[in-house]
């Protein structure tokens, strides 16, 4: 085994030996980078706190996940517990390891929030969370230190690019007529899917070492690994199409929803809206077939399109109809 890889494994084992008693705490910290957490926090921001910030965080999450999914396939590197049975898998993942999606999203999303909120205390909180989320992935045995460092680096680059491109892209998009905006939404969603096919084609001659799967199953028998998949691209492509289509409809029909309101209105929005998210996420997830593979991808794309559309438009339209909100 590569000496550098051995040193990283030693580091992880040292972390688990010293911090293993805090596994529950680190599972809680790592949840702050999970898909389920973002399905809660982004709607909360968009519906009840700051619509502009919610939109920006949502867009950043979508494109961070596109790059992360593509890079994972391109690097096709293992996770620690896939190659060393002495590493304890306090959590488990089915995708490749590098770069860490949790670390990348933490750097890009919490970094963007810190830039937009501009409060000193929040910026220190964001830095602390970025560091702790990365640390949690190593303590839980699902990432090497290099995975986390690369994740932070990619997240920082995406944040820099976003801050440079945000204003000119918004000006360009707002200058398009509605039909062209919808065309852009569909075309960009298809580009996301195409990028997945191209990257997977690029590693088609590479075979997953059988010992990775065997070692991973010893540590986490409930989660057999399946890293050579297009599922993340259909997830993100569908979410993007639904989210952007809904946003276009909201803007063209009178503007975004005003997030202010009484405590009863705010709580009503969040509870009704999140109930809809859960029905689409968990309900349709259990109902829609996953096999055969391409059929499963199609239903995944549809499910996440509905989730994105519900968050950006369907739920706000419902809130307006129920007098739980008003236009800006």
């Amino acid at each position: 085994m590569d000496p550098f890889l051995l040193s990283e494994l030693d580091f992880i084992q040292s972390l688990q030996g010293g911090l293993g008693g805090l596994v529950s705490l680190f599972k809680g910290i790592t949840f702050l980078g999970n898909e389920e957490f973002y399905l809660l926090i982004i709607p909360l921001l968009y519906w009840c706190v700051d619509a502009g910030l919610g939109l920006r965080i949502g867009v950043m999450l979508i494109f961070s996940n596109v790059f992360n999914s593509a890079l994972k396939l391109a690097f096709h590197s293992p996770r620690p517990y896939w190659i060393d049975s002495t590493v304890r898998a306090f959590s488990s993942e089915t995708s490749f390891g590098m770069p860490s999606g949790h670390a990348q999203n933490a750097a890009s999303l919490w970094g963007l929030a810190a830039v937009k909120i501009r409060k000193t205390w929040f910026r220190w909180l964001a830095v602390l969370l970025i560091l702790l989320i990365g640390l949690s992935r190593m303590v839980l045995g699902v990432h090497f230190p290099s995975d986390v460092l690369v994740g932070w680096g990619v997240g920082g680059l995406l944040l820099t690019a976003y801050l440079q491109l945000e204003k000119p892209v918004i000006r360009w998009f707002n200058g398009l007529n509605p039909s062209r905006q919808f065309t852009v939404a569909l075309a960009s969603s298809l580009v996301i899917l195409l990028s997945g096919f191209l990257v997977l084609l690029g590693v088609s001659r590479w075979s997953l070492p059988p010992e990775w799967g065997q070692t991973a199953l010893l540590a986490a028998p409930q989660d057999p690994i399946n890293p050579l998949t297009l599922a993340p691209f259909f997830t993100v492509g569908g979410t993007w199409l639904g989210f952007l289509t809904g946003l276009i409809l909201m803007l063209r029909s009178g503007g975004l929803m005003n997030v202010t309101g009484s405590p009863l209105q705010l709580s009503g929005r969040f509870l009704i809206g999140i109930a809809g998210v859960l029905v689409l996420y968990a309900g349709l997830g259990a109902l829609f077939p996953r096999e055969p593979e391409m059929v499963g991808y199609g239903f995944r794309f549809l499910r996440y399109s509905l989730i994105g559309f519900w968050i950006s438009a369907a739920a706000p339209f419902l809130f307006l109809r129920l007098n739980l909100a008003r236009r800006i």
Side-chain angles (χ1 to χ4, degrees):
M1 190 179 292
D2 182 85
F4 180 74
L5 198 60
L6 281 173
S7 67
E8 289 201 282
L9 286 169
D10 289 341
F11 180 76
I12 291 170
Q13 289 166 341
S14 298
L15 278 180
Q16 291 190 331
L19 300 173
L22 300 174
V23 166
S24 295
L25 172 63
F26 283 107
K27 283 185 176 181
I29 292 170
T30 214
F31 177 75
L32 300 179
N34 285 0
E35 179 182 3
E36 294 82 1
F37 173 75
Y38 293 122
L39 280 174
L40 293 172
I41 197 66
I42 291 174
L44 176 65
L45 289 173
Y46 181 60
W47 297 333
C48 304
V49 180
D50 184 328
L53 180 60
L55 286 174
R56 288 172 172 84
I57 296 293
V59 170
M60 176 64 87
L61 175 64
I62 287 169
F63 283 98
S64 179
N65 282 342
V66 172
F67 281 95
N68 187 257
S69 299
L71 289 172
K72 281 184 185 294
L73 282 177
F75 285 120
H76 49 274
S77 63
R79 294 177 183 270
Y81 74 93
W82 293 8
I83 61 173
D84 190 334
S85 58
T86 64
V87 173
R88 287 172 287 177
F90 293 116
S91 183
S92 59
E93 301 287 349
T94 62
S95 60
F96 289 117
M98 179 178 286
S100 164
H102 280 68
Q104 180 179 318
N105 287 338
S108 57
L109 300 182
W110 287 102
L112 178 59
V115 170
K116 296 299 181 180
I117 292 176
R118 297 182 181 179
K119 299 288 187 181
T120 301
W121 67 267
F122 186 84
R123 290 182 174 179
W124 282 110
L125 175 63
V127 170
L128 179 62
L129 287 173
I130 290 168
L131 295 175
L132 286 176
I133 289 171
L135 177 63
S136 74
R137 304 305 285 164
M138 293 182 284
V139 173
L140 297 178
V142 291
H143 277 299
F144 293 101
S146 55
D147 298 343
V148 172
L149 291 173
V150 172
W152 283 335
V154 174
L157 290 174
L158 287 175
L159 174 60
T160 301
Y162 180 91
L163 294 175
Q164 292 295 318
L165 295 174
E166 179 187 42
K167 290 182 179 179
V169 169
I170 289 175
R171 282 197 301 269
W172 167 77
F173 190 76
N174 287 339
L176 301 176
N177 61 45
S179 62
R180 290 190 176 183
Q181 289 182 337
F182 286 120
T183 300
V184 168
L186 178 59
S188 55
S189 178
L190 294 178
V191 167
I192 291 172
L193 300 187
L194 180 61
S195 68
F197 280 105
L198 291 176
V199 178
L200 189 59
L201 180 63
V203 298
S204 59
R205 295 185 179 181
W206 179 86
S207 297
L208 183 73
E211 58 270 21
W212 288 7
Q214 294 164 5
T215 306
L217 276 176
L218 292 175
Q222 76 282 3
D223 281 325
I225 65 175
N226 180 33
L228 294 168
T229 176
L230 291 170
F233 297 93
F234 280 83
T235 296
V236 178
T239 305
W240 174 243
L241 177 61
F243 190 79
L244 186 55
T245 299
L247 177 60
I248 294 169
L249 289 175
M250 283 293 294
L251 293 174
R252 294 295 175 177
S253 65
L256 296 180
M257 181 185 72
N258 192 323
V259 298
T260 60
S262 68
L264 183 61
Q265 288 176 315
L266 295 176
S267 59
R269 278 182 225 160
F270 185 71
L271 292 175
I272 293 171
I274 285 299
V277 171
L278 292 176
V279 168
L280 296 172
Y281 179 75
L284 293 185
L287 181 64
F288 282 174
R290 301 187 181 186
E291 298 295 339
E293 189 173 56
M294 289 308 298
V295 172
Y297 287 158
F299 278 106
R300 173 179 285 267
F301 185 87
L302 174 60
R303 176 162 64 105
Y304 279 91
S305 294
L306 292 173
I307 291 172
F309 185 78
W310 171 261
I311 292 172
S312 65
F317 280 133
L318 179 60
F319 302 153
L320 292 168
R321 187 66 178 260
L322 296 175
N323 293 320
L324 291 174
R326 56 186 176 83
R327 297 280 188 178
I328 292 178

